[in-house]
C-alpha cells in the first residue's frame, strides 16, 4: 500500500463570504492510496475554526503507517479533515479493487439525486437580492447571515426568490436572545431552518428556549460523541464528513442521531466533487442536503458531480466510489 498526499487549489467563481471572513479559492488536501493495482482517492478541506491547516492535516496523513484499514483510523487519527480524506480514499480503493460501488459495499440502497441547497454569500442587501433573483429557480437557498444587518438582507433575499425554501446559517453570529427576537420574522419569511445561531461554547443558552423555527447544530456537532452534548438544544444536526472524519463515521452518526429523534442535514465545506461524492451517500433521504461546493467553483474535478432540477446526483465510478 502506498499513500500519497498533496494540496490543491481550485478558484471560486466569485468571492465567498461568511460572518468569519471571505475566501476566493478552495484549498483542499487530496489523498491517493495505491494497492493491488488500484487507486483510491479522497479529499478534505482543513478548517481553521477547528484548529486545522493544510500543513497540519498533511502532516497527520504523512504520519500514518504504511498500511492502514478503515477500522484502524479512529485510533490513528481524530475526527476531522485528515481522517476524512483517508477514510474516503480507502472506501474508493475497495470499490475499485472489488469492482463494486461503495453504496453496495456499505449495505446501502442504490442512491439517487437529492434536492440540494445553493448558498448565497454574505453581502449587502442589494447584492444578496440580486443573487437571490439569479437563483430564484432553485428550490432551496441557504443564506449566510450573522451580523447586525441580517433582517434587511433576509427581506431582500425573500423579495428576490419568493418561492424558494430558505435556510439561514448564522455561523455562530447570534445569541439566544437575537434568535428569539428574529424568530417571528423568520417564520413570516418562510425560513425552514436556522443553522448554529449561537457560538458552540455558548449553546447551553438554547436549553428551554422556544424554537418556532428548528435549530441545527453545525459547529456543535462533529461525531457520535457530540450527541450527548446536544440534548434540549437542537432539533437537527449537520453532518459534514470533514467533521466526522469520513463516510464511515458519518453513516454511524446519521443512524445514531435518527434513533435519538434528530432531523438530519448533510453539509460540506467548499470543496470539489471528489469531496462531495461520499457525502451524497450520507445525504440519501435526509431532510436537508447542502452539498453545493462544486457549484461555487470556477473549475472542478473530471468527471464532476451532476447537478440539475432533481438535485445533486450520485458520482460516476470514475470520480469516486
Amino acid at each position: 500500500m502506498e499513500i500519497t498526499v498533496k494540496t490543491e487549489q481550485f478558484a471560486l467563481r466569485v468571492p465567498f463570504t461568511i460572518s468569519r471572513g471571505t475566501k476566493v479559492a478552495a484549498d483542499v488536501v487530496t489523498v491517493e492510496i495505491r494497492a493491488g493495482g488500484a487507486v483510491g482517492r479522497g479529499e478534505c478541506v482543513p478548517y481553521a475554526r477547528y484548529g486545522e491547516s493544510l500543513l497540519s492535516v498533511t502532516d497527520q496523513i504523512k504520519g500514518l503507517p504504511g498500511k492502514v484499514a478503515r477500522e484502524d483510523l479512529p485510533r490513528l487519527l481524530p475526527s476531522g479533515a485528515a481522517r476524512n480524506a483517508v477514510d474516503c480514499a480507502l472506501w474508493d480503493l475497495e470499490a475499485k479493487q472489488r469492482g463494486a460501488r461503495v453504496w453496495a459495499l456499505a449495505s446501502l440502497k442504490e442512491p439517487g439525486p437529492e434536492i440540494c441547497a445553493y448558498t448565497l454569500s454574505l453581502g449587502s442587501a442589494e447584492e444578496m437580492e440580486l443573487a437571490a433573483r439569479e437563483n430564484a429557480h432553485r428550490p432551496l437557498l441557504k443564506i449566510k447571515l450573522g451580523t447586525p444587518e441580517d433582517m434587511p438582507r433576509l427581506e431582500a433575499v425573500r423579495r428576490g426568490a419568493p418561492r424558494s425554501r430558505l435556510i439561514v446559517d448564522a455561523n455562530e453570529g447570534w445569541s439566544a436572545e437575537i434568535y428569539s427576537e428574529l424568530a417571528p420574522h423568520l417564520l413570516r419569511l418562510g425560513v425552514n431552518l436556522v443553522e448554529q445561531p449561537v457560538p458552540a461554547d455558548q449553546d447551553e443558552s438554547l436549553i428551554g428556549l422556544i424554537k418556532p423555527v428548528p435549530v441545527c447544530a453545525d459547529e456543535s456537532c462533529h461525531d457520535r460523541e457530540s450527541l450527548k452534548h446536544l440534548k434540549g438544544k437542537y432539533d437537527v444536526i449537520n453532518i459534514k464528513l470533514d467533521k466526522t472524519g469520513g463516510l464511515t463515521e458519518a453513516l454511524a452518526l446519521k443512524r445514531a442521531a435518527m434513533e435519538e429523534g434528530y432531523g438530519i442535514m448533510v453539509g460540506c465545506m467548499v470543496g470539489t466533487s471528489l469531496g462531495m461524492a461520499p457525502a451524497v451517500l450520507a445525504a440519501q433521504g435526509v431532510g436537508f442536503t447542502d452539498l453545493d461546493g462544486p457549484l461555487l467553483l470556477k473549475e472542478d474535478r473530471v468527471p464532476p458531480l451532476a447537478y440539475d432540477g432533481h438535485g445533486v446526483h450520485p458520482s460516476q465510478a470514475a470520480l469516486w466510489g
Side-chain angles (χ1 to χ4, degrees):
M1 177 177 285
E2 179 187 0
I3 302 174
T4 59
V5 57
K6 63 182 177 180
T7 61
E8 297 182 272
Q9 186 174 84
F10 294 81
L12 303 187
R13 289 191 295 108
V14 296
F16 183 77
T17 301
I18 66 173
S19 60
R20 280 192 285 267
T22 299
K23 64 189 308 176
V24 297
D27 294 298
V28 308
V29 175
T30 305
V31 170
E32 292 187 351
I33 303 180
R34 292 174 170 79
V39 180
R41 297 192 302 160
E43 175 189 297
C44 68
V45 179
Y47 198 35
R49 169 64 179 79
Y50 305 135
E52 298 173 333
S53 67
L54 292 171
L55 179 60
S56 71
V57 166
T58 300
D59 285 346
Q60 282 181 297
I61 296 168
K62 288 181 177 179
L64 289 171
K67 185 176 182 181
V68 293
R70 279 197 309 277
E71 55 268 26
D72 299 328
L73 291 180
R75 66 176 177 81
L76 296 172
L77 293 171
S79 297
R83 196 167 102 195
N84 175 31
V86 178
D87 179 80
C88 292
L90 288 169
W91 275 111
D92 189 38
L93 177 66
E94 182 178 352
K96 299 295 193 293
Q97 289 175 328
R98 297 176 60 176
R101 300 307 306 269
V102 166
W103 61 265
L105 298 177
S107 300
L108 303 173
K109 294 180 181 178
E110 184 171 359
E114 290 286 332
I115 292 296
C116 182
Y118 182 81
T119 305
L120 302 184
S121 176
L122 184 65
S124 69
E126 294 76 19
E127 290 168 338
M128 294 183 76
E129 181 173 352
L130 177 60
R133 290 188 188 283
E134 292 173 348
N135 291 282
H137 63 285
R138 300 184 189 275
L140 182 61
L141 294 177
K142 176 171 165 176
I143 303 101
K144 291 289 189 179
L145 296 177
T147 77
E149 301 300 319
D150 282 345
M151 278 312 303
R153 290 184 171 102
L154 186 54
E155 296 271 10
V157 168
R158 181 45 88 197
R159 286 194 301 271
R163 288 180 294 277
S164 300
R165 296 167 65 213
L166 300 180
I167 298 170
V168 162
D169 186 359
N171 279 118
E172 303 182 279
W174 292 353
S175 65
E177 291 73 23
I178 291 174
Y179 167 85
S180 294
E181 290 172 8
L182 295 181
H185 303 287
L186 301 177
L187 280 175
R188 172 175 59 84
L189 293 168
V191 173
N192 287 217
L193 187 72
V194 175
E195 269 191 84
Q196 199 68 45
V198 305
D201 60 2
Q202 298 174 25
D203 62 7
E204 295 288 330
S205 62
L206 297 175
I207 296 176
L209 193 71
I210 297 174
K211 306 181 188 73
V213 179
V215 174
C216 176
D218 183 0
E219 285 85 352
S220 289
C221 182
H222 292 252
D223 53 19
R224 281 173 290 174
E225 182 66 18
S226 302
L227 290 178
K228 64 186 179 185
H229 303 294
L230 306 182
K231 290 291 187 182
K233 303 176 184 177
Y234 299 97
D235 309 292
V236 178
I237 66 163
N238 188 346
I239 299 173
K240 292 178 179 174
L241 272 63
D242 277 317
K243 294 187 301 178
T244 64
L247 178 63
T248 304
E249 178 63 19
L251 294 174
L253 173 59
K254 179 182 177 181
R255 289 190 295 268
M258 291 176 66
E259 288 171 1
E260 294 193 23
Y262 291 101
I264 306 295
M265 178 180 190
V266 173
C268 65
M269 309 303 183
V270 182
T272 77
S273 285
L274 177 59
M276 303 304 118
V280 173
L281 299 186
Q284 295 297 297
V286 305
F288 300 93
T289 296
D290 178 25
L291 299 175
D292 62 342
L295 297 177
L296 307 177
L297 301 179
K298 189 175 293 185
E299 57 181 306
D300 193 8
R301 308 279 186 177
V302 179
L305 288 178
Y307 292 81
D308 60 22
H310 299 287
V312 56
H313 289 253
S315 64
Q316 301 176 46
L319 173 66
W320 181 86

